[in-house]
Amino acid sequence: MPVEMVDITSGEPVRRTVPLLFTTTRGNAFTDRTWSREWAGWRDAAGWPQKHGGFHALRHFFATTLITNHVEPQEVQRLLRHRTLRITLETYVHWLPKRDRPSGVVGSVLSSAAQRATEGARRSQDQS
């Protein structure tokens, strides 16, 4: 059954001609409200706290996990589908304390690669 939904990239209604992966018991599309209602039931069944425990909190958990594991901000922006990098940075940069922010990432990667190359060259010489 085709379902009319809003295209998140343009904001325009679109008609889907493929079956939906997740539907309600009546065959309708899952909306953000449907997910939130389902999530609340799952969260409560698991005994997790209700405070700051809404479905949208999973999005923030995902984003902060990426950022604190040093994923490039542009990749976080892409995964969250933020329109601009500025939105991503203004929303999440405070999760990574300045002293913990990686610096010299490219230099450390290049140094590590150079060290591996030197060790490989030594092993080749030792074997000859």
Side-chain angles (χ1 to χ4, degrees):
M1 163 175 103
V3 177
E4 189 165 300
M5 303 180 75
V6 175
D7 181 340
I8 63 169
T9 58
S10 69
E12 299 296 320
V14 294
R15 192 159 271 306
R16 291 181 54 102
T17 57
V18 296
L20 297 171
L21 183 59
F22 299 104
T23 62
T24 65
T25 55
R26 296 183 178 186
N28 296 321
F30 258 52
T31 64
D32 56 347
R33 284 187 175 174
T34 308
W35 279 116
S36 291
R37 191 171 43 253
E38 290 295 321
W39 168 252
W42 299 329
R43 179 202 59 218
D44 295 346
W48 292 350
Q50 290 183 5
K51 185 176 182 181
H52 305 297
F55 185 68
H56 192 76
L58 292 177
R59 178 179 173 86
H60 292 303
F61 172 77
F62 175 64
T64 56
T65 299
L66 294 173
I67 290 169
T68 57
N69 283 282
H70 311 294
V71 173
E72 292 293 327
Q74 294 85 347
E75 182 66 6
V76 177
Q77 173 199 357
R78 185 186 71 76
L79 292 169
L80 296 176
R81 296 185 176 207
H82 284 158
R83 190 175 303 248
T84 66
L85 181 58
R86 181 177 180 170
I87 292 170
T88 306
L89 293 176
E90 287 178 350
T91 306
Y92 295 106
V93 75
H94 65 280
W95 284 99
L96 188 56
K98 192 170 188 175
R99 68 179 183 278
D100 292 341
R101 291 182 190 155
S103 60
V105 173
V106 173
S108 65
V109 169
L110 292 175
S111 294
S112 176
Q115 184 177 4
R116 285 192 306 274
T118 302
E119 290 169 1
R122 278 192 208 133
R123 275 186 248 139
S124 293
Q125 288 177 346
D126 292 343
Q127 291 175 356
S128 338

